[in-house]
Amino acid sequence: VICPDWPPDAPAVSGAPVMPGTSAVPGSSAAPGATAAGPGAGPDARAFEQVVTVVEEFCPQVEVLRPGVCALSARGPARYFGGEEALARKITEALASCGFSCRVGVADGLFAAQLAAQAGTSGQVVAADRTPAFLAPHPVSVLGSPELADLLPRLGIWTLGEFAALPAAEAGSRFGTQGALAHRLARGADPRPLALRPPSADLSVQL
């Protein structure tokens, strides 16, 4: 879920999704899965907690990637709410009713889901077996690595599909650990699980 105009009085959110293992905001050191309104959070983060609260009505386990962007596992909620497209629509409508404009993307893996959320005017639902094909035409700059964004085109590799066509062993040996991880993302094999927030107190069981 991306709120492209977050905070409401700031320019729209843009740029590449954050690669797993890097900070969500350049220079930040927020722990994975930390609540947006955690200790020391700024006013923008505390305000975004309102969005997270609405999303948690559809799934109680949500990861806040940064103020303006959060993620949830859609599989269970999609079954309950009538499918992934229906779930995306319900989340969008619920947030709109609270005055928040958002885009919802659904895909295999966090990386692809963020790109799907940036597609079109309201986001996109990518079928489970179509994630590699969806990723393929995107430029390598969306990997969020300035080094690879500079190097790969100079080697004639402009898109994720072209990068994914390299053998995995070659990507690792030529571009190092970061290149190996980026290659997995380009293939739609996102290795990063969601770092979920703990459920709220009313959903916890006390023994």
Side-chain angles (χ1 to χ4, degrees), residues 132-207:
F134 165 74
L135 292 172
H138 286 82
V140 294
S141 59
V142 301
L143 290 168
S145 168
E147 294 83 1
L148 292 176
D150 175 65
L151 175 60
L152 292 176
R154 288 195 278 119
L155 298 175
I157 301 172
W158 295 89
T159 67
L160 297 187
E162 292 169 344
F163 188 36
L166 292 178
E170 180 180 347
S173 63
R174 294 182 64 180
F175 308 112
T177 302
Q178 184 182 43
L181 173 57
H183 188 259
R184 291 193 64 176
L185 296 179
R187 301 193 332 258
D190 193 337
R192 181 192 185 283
L194 291 179
L196 301 173
R197 291 154 46 107
S200 56
D202 60 336
L203 296 176
S204 301
V205 176
Q206 298 182 356
L207 300 178

Side-chain angles (χ1 to χ4, degrees), residues 96-119:
S97 70
C98 296
F100 300 111
S101 174
C102 76
R103 298 176 181 177
V104 178
V106 181
D108 285 342
L110 182 58
F111 175 71
Q114 290 185 83
L115 290 176
Q118 297 176 28

